[in-house]
Amino acid sequence: MDKIRFEDLNCSEEIKRAVKDMGFEETTPIQTLSIPVVLEGKDVVGQAQTGTGKTAAFGIPAIDMVDPSKRHTQALILCPTRELAVQVAEELAKISKYKRGVRTLPIFGGQPIERQIRGLRNGVQIVIGTPGRVMDHMRRGTLKLDHLKMMILDEADEMLNMGFREDIETILDSIGEERQTLLFSATMPKAIMSIIHKYQKDPKIVKVVHKELTTPNIDQLYLEIKEKDKLEVLTRLIDMYSPKLSLVFCNTKKKVDDVTDLLQSRGYASDKIHGDMKQSLRINVMNKFKRGDIEVLVATDVAARGLDIDDVESVFNYDMPSHEEYYVHRIGRTGRAGRSGSAFTFVTGRDFYLLRNVMKYTKKKIKKHPIPTLSDIETIKTTIFLEQLKKKIDEGKLKKYIKILEELIEDNDFSSIEVAAALLKMELEIKDAREIDLTPEKPKSYKKTGGKQGMVRMFINIGKNKRIRPQDVVGAIAGETSISGKNIGDIDIFENYTFVEIPEKYADEVLSIMSKNTIKGNKINIEPAKGKRGSGKKKSGESRSVNREKNRKAKIKKK
């Protein structure tokens, strides 16, 4: 397939300029197939995985299609999760950088709805949202779709897996037929085909085969680690493997600054690049890295875009990347030009669900690597040093140095073995090192919650009183966490509370994330249920809600 240069696309100069700033020159396969057809105004079905560039495939035509002089919503993009909605919004903001008057707004649950209402009232041409929150705004009248020109379903199969089919069809039924509809999906199950036949007009179907995302010559490893031990483990790995050049990725500019300062204080030839640095300074640092003057480069994802150096032997994910695509881009900086490389990912307890997402996305098993002990480092450094020492002895030309040592021994009454031992200690002594507590954090126990085998039964303190439906529970949990909607178990909804079963391996993640989020705009309390419904001693939140339910039923009986 012939790629197209962005400068040759039939789109505005403002978009071409923005794409150039982003560091892209040629279209990806899905962009090559989709953009020209979408620009012609035709409906499109695109079958492509996440990370193939499909956001720009629909984003570029959408941005060029809208009329900046009109403040009403002209394009609506539906996404399955808040993370994807934010990601799409960020990408569109970059693409529309030079398009004056074009405004985009992400809307999703877990964010104050008042802020979104203000944004919509100010006028937004492109709205990116999750189905539940889009429906909420439509009911309130704060999102009007009377002038919609383009409707886009992103990751449509995932939205169906999460139970959003009814919401999607309600949204599609409520907008006019004179619109362009684009649908992107990794798979094409019957439900997706049904939506295509019902809501699209003679769509052009484009398909991109999912190729291997990571090369086999990259050894992918992860280390289970506490946040406070990351720097110590990083330096041990660098000492242990002695990579010629290595890249350390952090998620924030501040973390890049902090890690670089700490590495430099320990004597490592390191420097940094991130977006707050002047371009001239970044180029200077990059040139030093290419020459090998800097052996360890600490960077953010955006700053390292376009980095093309064949000699990077190791990549360290100091922070777990927030998106699967970032992981692929990061580790792709090593193992280039047929060389082998290593990618080490530091995973804290709360990051394990992100690691699972990466393995699912790349279809690769990431092996666990033990944390190197001080004894491991001493052994390796000793072996390397002694090999270098033997080599120097074999090379000869040591007369000058022998004379210096003979004078030292004669003047101070030292033995030759003492001098050799002192030199060895000076070379191999590990400075600023500290012991690491390798005891793994105890996993939480979820016994006796009343769930089926392998499931944890969760209690949520809202129910029919807030008009909660099973699909609302599924959509909220699957939309905010890494669990797929089809893996969520039984849901029992009562007047004032709800029970939902979650696979045990996702329990920590669901409790951590959902305790900060909402269901259908309602802030919730979520906790493991205590025993089977109506039996045993219950936790405070569950007990109060269950008692309220009993009292309500008792009052009805008296009447």
Side-chain angles (χ1 to χ4, degrees):
M1 182 191 303
D2 293 331
K3 292 182 178 179
I4 304 171
R5 293 183 64 82
F6 277 105
E7 62 187 40
D8 297 329
L9 276 178
N10 185 28
C11 61
S12 63
E13 291 302 317
E14 293 93 339
I15 283 182
K16 291 177 184 178
R17 185 180 167 196
V19 170
K20 186 177 180 181
D21 284 357
M22 294 165 72
F24 300 118
E25 294 183 358
E26 294 180 332
T27 55
T28 65
I30 190 65
Q31 293 165 358
T32 302
L33 294 169
S34 300
I35 293 176
V37 182
V38 179
L39 287 171
E40 290 174 12
K42 295 180 180 177
D43 285 6
V44 169
V45 173
Q47 186 170 358
Q49 300 282 341
T50 302
T52 52
K54 59 184 172 56
T55 302
F58 60 72
I60 287 174
I63 291 165
D64 255 356
M65 172 272 298
V66 302
D67 183 349
S69 66
K70 295 176 181 175
R71 306 294 290 273
H72 45 245
T73 302
Q74 299 165 51
L76 174 63
I77 303 168
L78 286 186
C79 302
T81 66
R82 61 182 293 181
E83 286 79 16
L84 184 60
V86 170
Q87 191 179 330
V88 170
E90 289 173 349
E91 190 84 356
L92 295 192
K94 293 173 188 173
I95 296 170
S96 62
K97 180 179 175 182
Y98 299 109
K99 293 280 285 188
R100 289 189 177 180
V102 174
R103 300 186 65 193
T104 61
L105 180 71
I107 58 174
F108 47 81
Q111 186 186 60
I113 197 164
E114 292 77 17
R115 190 192 309 168
Q116 297 171 4
I117 291 171
R118 285 196 299 272
L120 290 168
R121 282 177 179 163
N122 289 335
V124 178
Q125 289 92 0
I126 302 175
V127 171
I128 310 102
T130 51
R133 185 50 67 97
V134 167
M135 290 271 290
D136 197 351
H137 280 289
M138 288 171 66
R139 281 191 293 265
R140 292 168 181 260
T142 49
L143 175 61
K144 296 180 173 66
L145 303 175
D146 304 340
H147 300 89
L148 200 71
K149 296 179 183 178
M150 185 180 286
M151 179 76 208
I152 301 157
L153 304 179
D154 192 11
E155 295 196 10
D157 52 350
E158 189 59 28
M159 282 195 280
L160 295 190
N161 285 341
M162 291 164 59
F164 286 134
R165 179 170 181 171
E166 185 182 328
D167 289 349
I168 291 169
E169 294 195 345
T170 299
I171 294 167
L172 289 169
D173 286 334
S174 67
I175 57 180
E177 292 185 9
E178 292 305 312
R179 63 166 190 273
Q180 187 177 9
T181 305
L182 315 179
L183 183 148
F184 290 84
S185 182
T187 59
M188 289 291 161
K190 285 183 180 179
I192 293 289
M193 299 307 296
S194 174
I195 289 174
I196 291 168
H197 293 317
K198 187 175 180 181
Y199 296 103
Q200 289 190 288
K201 294 171 288 187
D202 191 25
K204 171 75 174 177
I205 298 176
V206 297
K207 183 176 181 179
V208 174
V209 177
H210 181 49
K211 60 183 180 180
E212 195 166 26
L213 292 171
T214 58
T215 57
N217 53 330
I218 301 174
D219 194 16
Q220 298 181 58
L221 306 153
Y222 79 88
L223 293 93
E224 187 176 353
I225 191 172
K226 297 181 179 75
E227 185 69 35
K228 63 183 177 64
D229 295 326
K230 282 184 176 180
L231 186 84
E232 179 66 30
V233 173
L234 173 64
T235 56
R236 290 187 189 186
L237 288 170
I238 293 172
D239 290 344
M240 188 170 180
Y241 291 101
S242 300
K244 182 178 180 182
L245 297 177
S246 57
L247 267 168
V248 179
F249 282 101
C250 302
N251 288 347
T252 66
K253 298 167 191 172
K254 185 180 185 307
K255 185 71 74 67
V256 167
D257 289 337
D258 293 344
V259 171
T260 306
D261 290 345
L262 289 166
L263 284 173
Q264 289 174 348
S265 71
R266 290 195 179 198
Y268 291 89
S270 56
D271 213 327
K272 65 189 177 186
I273 54 168
H274 60 59
D276 283 351
M277 296 166 61
K278 289 183 179 178
Q279 184 66 18
S280 57
L281 183 57
R282 285 163 64 178
I283 291 170
N284 184 41
V285 170
M286 290 301 302
N287 288 336
K288 286 182 180 178
F289 188 56
K290 288 176 183 177
R291 291 197 305 266
D293 298 338
I294 297 166
E295 296 173 357
V296 184
L297 182 62
V298 189
T300 56
D301 292 286
V302 174
R305 190 187 289 276
L307 183 67
D308 190 9
I309 299 172
D310 291 338
D311 294 330
V312 175
E313 293 181 359
S314 294
V315 168
F316 298 93
N317 290 313
Y318 195 90
D319 292 325
M320 187 74 200
S322 55
H323 299 303
E324 295 89 340
E325 303 97 298
Y326 289 173
Y327 177 85
V328 173
H329 293 161
R330 287 179 180 186
I331 72 167
R333 306 300 177 186
T334 187
R336 300 171 78 94
R339 294 176 173 85
S340 60
S342 300
F344 300 90
T345 300
F346 295 170
V347 184
T348 62
R350 63 186 179 186
D351 290 335
F352 266 95
Y353 74 95
L354 292 171
L355 181 70
R356 284 199 302 268
N357 289 352
V358 165
M359 288 194 281
K360 180 181 175 184
Y361 175 62
T362 59
K363 295 181 171 60
K364 288 283 186 181
K365 176 75 174 174
I366 302 176
K367 295 173 288 186
K368 186 173 183 179
H369 187 293
I371 293 175
T373 64
L374 289 177
S375 177
D376 294 333
I377 306 304
E378 287 172 353
T379 301
I380 288 165
K381 290 185 78 172
T382 301
T383 302
I384 293 170
F385 179 73
L386 292 178
E387 287 298 322
Q388 292 172 338
L389 188 64
K390 290 175 189 175
K391 191 176 178 182
K392 283 293 177 187
I393 293 171
D394 291 340
E395 287 174 0
K397 301 178 183 178
L398 299 173
K399 285 185 180 179
K400 181 173 74 173
Y401 305 102
I402 290 171
K403 186 178 179 182
I404 293 170
L405 289 176
E406 283 176 341
E407 289 175 359
L408 177 69
I409 291 167
E410 191 175 322
D411 293 344
N412 295 279
D413 198 26
F414 295 144
S415 69
S416 56
I417 195 71
E418 285 177 320
V419 173
L423 289 170
L424 191 62
K425 183 181 179 184
M426 288 170 63
E427 177 64 27
L428 300 180
E429 196 170 33
I430 302 172
K431 297 175 182 178
D432 301 321
R434 62 176 178 78
E435 288 295 345
I436 296 173
D437 180 9
L438 299 179
T439 308
E441 293 175 316
K442 289 184 179 180
K444 292 178 184 173
S445 174
Y446 292 108
K447 294 178 180 178
K448 299 180 182 177
T449 64
K452 294 188 182 74
Q453 183 69 30
M455 305 291 279
V456 177
R457 195 158 168 261
M458 300 284 187
F459 164 82
I460 303 172
N461 67 333
I462 58 172
K464 292 177 183 176
N465 58 338
K466 300 295 183 182
R467 297 184 179 179
I468 299 300
R469 305 167 298 167
Q471 55 262 47
D472 298 323
V473 177
V474 171
I477 294 174
E480 303 296 339
T481 69
S482 65
I483 184 173
S484 172
K486 62 187 176 185
N487 290 329
I488 294 174
D490 292 347
I491 298 173
D492 296 317
I493 301 177
F494 295 86
E495 184 64 26
N496 297 305
Y497 58 90
T498 297
F499 290 103
V500 57
E501 289 189 351
I502 302 292
E504 190 169 358
K505 66 179 180 178
Y506 294 102
D508 286 347
E509 179 192 346
V510 169
L511 284 170
S512 172
I513 293 174
M514 291 308 298
S515 62
K516 303 167 191 168
N517 280 291
T518 63
I519 295 179
K520 213 171 181 180
N522 300 286
K523 187 163 178 57
I524 64 166
N525 172 52
I526 182 169
E527 56 190 50
K530 201 71 174 176
K532 291 193 178 294
R533 187 163 57 249
S535 69
K537 188 179 177 183
K538 302 176 183 67
K539 289 190 176 183
S540 58
E542 180 183 344
S543 180
R544 284 195 298 271
S545 290
V546 172
N547 286 337
R548 279 199 300 270
E549 180 74 4
K550 286 179 177 178
N551 292 336
R552 187 186 70 83
K553 288 179 178 178
K555 286 177 182 177
I556 291 171
K557 278 186 179 181
K558 285 180 181 178
K559 289 180 181 178

